[in-house]
Amino acid sequence: MEKVSLKVVGMTCSHCEEAVKNALMSVDGVASVSVAFHDEQVEVEYDPEKAAKENLINAVEDQGYGVA
Ligand SMILES: [Cu+2]
């Protein structure tokens, strides 16, 4: 398992937090996600054999949020 920390911009409330979390959890290989919208911090634990960091970024961007 690999752990990555993403800076996600555009999240303004717990609904955003939930949307980002659900999007990341739906990526194959993602084991756990923790999101804190107030500090724009997203921690993802994933299997690097199944998912790449790029897949995680795409999933977040598909929801309309930015990854800095
Ligand atoms: Cu929101």
Side-chain angles (χ1 to χ4, degrees):
M1 282 294 162
E2 199 142 302
K3 220 173 184 179
V4 73
S5 205
L6 302 174
K7 184 177 164 67
V8 174
V9 294
M11 296 188 293
T12 54
C13 66
S14 58
H15 171 83
C16 299
E17 219 175 60
E18 205 58 25
V20 168
K21 184 173 183 173
N22 289 340
L24 287 165
M25 286 304 289
S26 73
V27 176
D28 193 35
V30 171
S32 75
V33 179
S34 86
V35 184
F37 77 86
H38 46 271
D39 53 10
E40 304 182 321
Q41 201 66 22
V42 178
E43 308 261 353
V44 187
E45 200 173 11
Y46 67 102
D47 181 350
E49 312 247 305
K50 290 184 181 168
K53 190 179 173 185
E54 211 168 55
N55 300 129
L56 308 176
I57 293 171
N58 286 341
V60 171
E61 287 179 344
D62 280 353
Q63 295 300 309
Y65 303 101
V67 179

